[in-house]
């Protein structure tokens, strides 16, 4: 399978970067092809401008958007790896969705309603946050985030959401705790995406 990982963390020494490395290694061990789009390293512009909108309505897709759409088009599986900021995606990743998952590429509409244009693909997310998981579960935040990402992004365009790892208590664990999280990532990835 061809995997596209969209990664959104600015610190190369972060836990998220270790999660990225673990995910890539696990997928390659299983014989999958992996492409990583590191949005900060790419200096991806997350702002969907009036100029973008005008160009796309005229059928001219800006070059940076077109490049990312080609990666999405080629992928069997799309994975987002990111920290939760203010109960949602970091701005750079939200802007990626705004610009890349555009009307006419990821979805359209007809007399029956929304037409999902990315059917046949799978989606997986790994997100980290400082709040313990049980607290987010109790207050409904986990389910709220799952609805806005898994259903609201992947589901809306026809991508089948096959999993979402919510990794909590980040910043409050000891070394063994972080190793356990990375082991969980490795195991989950290999279970979801067995050897090709």
């Amino acid at each position: 399978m061809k995997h596209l990982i969209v990664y959104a963390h600015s610190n190369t020494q972060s836990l998220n970067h270790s999660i990225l490395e673990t995910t890539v290694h696990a997928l390659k061990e299983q014989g999958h092809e992996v492409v990583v789009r590191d949005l900060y390293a790419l200096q991806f512009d997350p702002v969907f401008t009036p100029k973008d909108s005008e160009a796309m309505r005229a059928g001219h897709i800006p070059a940076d958007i077109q490049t990312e759409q080609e990666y999405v088009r080629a992928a069997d599986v799309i994975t987002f790896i990111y920290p939760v900021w203010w109960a949602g995606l970091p701005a750079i990743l939200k802007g990626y969705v705004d610009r890349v998952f555009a009307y006419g590429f990821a979805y359209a509409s007809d007399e029956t309603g929304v037409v999902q244009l990315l059917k046949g693909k799978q989606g997986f997310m790994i997100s980290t946050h400082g709040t313990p998981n049980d607290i987010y579960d109790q207050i409904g935040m986990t389910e709220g985030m799952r609805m806005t990402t898994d259903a609201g992004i992947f589901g809306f365009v026809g991508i089948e959401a096959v999993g979402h790892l919510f990794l909590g208590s980040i910043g409050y664990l000891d070394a063994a705790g972080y190793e356990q999280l990375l082991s969980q990532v490795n195991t989950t990835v290999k279970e979801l995406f067995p050897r090709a």
Side-chain angles (χ1 to χ4, degrees), residues 94-136:
K94 178 59 168 63
Y96 174 94
V97 173
D98 291 347
R99 297 185 73 218
V100 177
F101 284 31
Y103 184 87
F105 170 74
Y107 70 100
S109 61
D110 62 17
E111 62 280 355
T112 65
V114 174
V115 178
Q116 300 169 322
L117 299 179
L118 296 181
K119 285 184 176 179
K121 299 182 186 298
Q122 295 180 331
F124 177 50
M125 297 200 190
I126 305 173
S127 53
T128 60
H129 49 84
T131 303
N133 280 356
D134 58 348
I135 293 177
Y136 265 5

Side-chain angles (χ1 to χ4, degrees), residues 15-16 19 84 127-137 142 145 166-178 180-181 184:
L15 174 66
N16 273 255
I19 290 169
V84 171
S127 53
T128 60
H129 49 84
T131 303
N133 280 356
D134 58 348
I135 293 177
Y136 265 5
D137 291 348
T142 304
M145 291 190 294
F166 291 92
L167 304 177
S169 301
I170 305 307
Y172 303 97
L173 301 174
D174 59 16
Y178 291 116
Q180 185 177 355
L181 290 185
Q184 182 184 358

Side-chain angles (χ1 to χ4, degrees), residues 9-28:
H9 201 293
S10 59
N11 185 353
T12 58
Q13 305 302 312
S14 67
L15 174 66
N16 273 255
H17 200 269
S18 295
I19 290 169
L20 170 65
E21 291 175 334
T22 299
T23 302
V24 169
H25 182 71
L27 289 171
K28 287 185 175 180

Side-chain angles (χ1 to χ4, degrees), residues 152-168:
I153 297 172
F154 284 164
F156 185 77
V157 298
I159 297 171
E160 177 194 3
V162 296
H164 191 149
L165 272 182
F166 291 92
L167 304 177

Side-chain angles (χ1 to χ4, degrees), residues 1 3 27 76-80 120-126 146 149-151 154-155 158-165 188-189 191-194:
M1 298 179 83
H3 289 255
L27 289 171
D76 299 308
V77 182
I78 300 161
T79 296
F80 288 175
K121 299 182 186 298
Q122 295 180 331
F124 177 50
M125 297 200 190
I126 305 173
R146 194 187 311 278
T149 55
D150 301 34
F154 284 164
I159 297 171
E160 177 194 3
V162 296
H164 191 149
L165 272 182
T188 302
V189 168
E191 287 175 352
L192 284 174
F193 310 109

